């Protein structure tokens, strides 16, 4: 619970790539199921994983903000600030990649062979 309250600087570094890897693997694995049942699952799954990635970025942002308020700017560890900034940007980048992959479901019919 402490990590949710104060955030973790590496939250975005972990959640972004993990969400993208899950999105890529599940997109390939769920296509036969989606074609057999005619239930669109790729786009809702992409939106859910974008949310997961952005939540990790929010944890990084929160850690940066909380640590910045707790310490004077000259005493805040540079590594902690760097990792938090990198986590926020990484989470945003991977969220955009997942959106781009998921938006292909709006244009392409995956059941065509």
């Amino acid at each position: 619970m402490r990590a949710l309250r104060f955030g973790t600087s590496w939250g975005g570094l972990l959640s972004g790539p993990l969400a993208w890897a899950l999105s890529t693997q599940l997109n390939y694995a769920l296509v036969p199921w989606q074609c057999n049942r005619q239930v669109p699952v790729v786009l809702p799954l992409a939106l859910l994983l974008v949310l997961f990635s952005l939540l990790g970025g929010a944890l990084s942002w929160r850690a940066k903000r909380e640590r910045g308020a707790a310490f004077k700017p000259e005493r805040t560890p540079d590594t902690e600030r760097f990792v938090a900034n990198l986590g926020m940007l990484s989470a945003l980048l991977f969220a955009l990649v997942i959106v781009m992959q998921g938006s292909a479901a709006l244009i392409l019919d995956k059941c065509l062979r």
Side-chain angles (χ1 to χ4, degrees):
M1 288 306 277
R2 186 175 191 275
L4 292 177
R5 186 171 181 187
F6 296 112
T8 59
S9 57
W10 48 266
L13 283 176
L14 182 66
S15 70
L18 181 64
W20 173 71
L22 281 172
S23 173
T24 302
Q25 292 300 315
L26 289 175
N27 284 343
Y28 284 112
L30 291 177
V31 167
W33 185 87
Q34 178 175 326
C35 289
N36 288 338
R37 290 171 181 75
Q38 297 297 317
V39 177
V41 293
V42 172
L43 192 59
L45 179 69
L47 294 176
L48 182 70
L49 290 170
V50 163
L51 182 64
F52 177 71
S53 178
L54 292 177
L55 284 175
L59 283 176
S60 293
W61 173 76
R62 189 170 179 115
K64 179 184 175 188
R65 191 180 65 147
E66 289 296 323
R67 295 206 180 29
F71 299 109
K72 294 181 181 176
E74 64 272 0
R75 297 188 65 187
T76 303
D78 288 335
T79 6
E80 189 79 20
R81 195 174 326 135
F82 174 75
V83 170
N85 286 331
L86 191 62
M88 290 185 300
L89 292 174
S90 174
L92 182 62
L93 174 70
F94 282 104
L96 289 174
V97 169
I98 295 168
V99 165
M100 296 305 290
Q101 285 180 340
S103 66
L106 294 173
I107 301 167
L108 303 172
D109 184 15
K110 296 184 179 195
C111 298
L112 294 177
R113 295 193 190 254

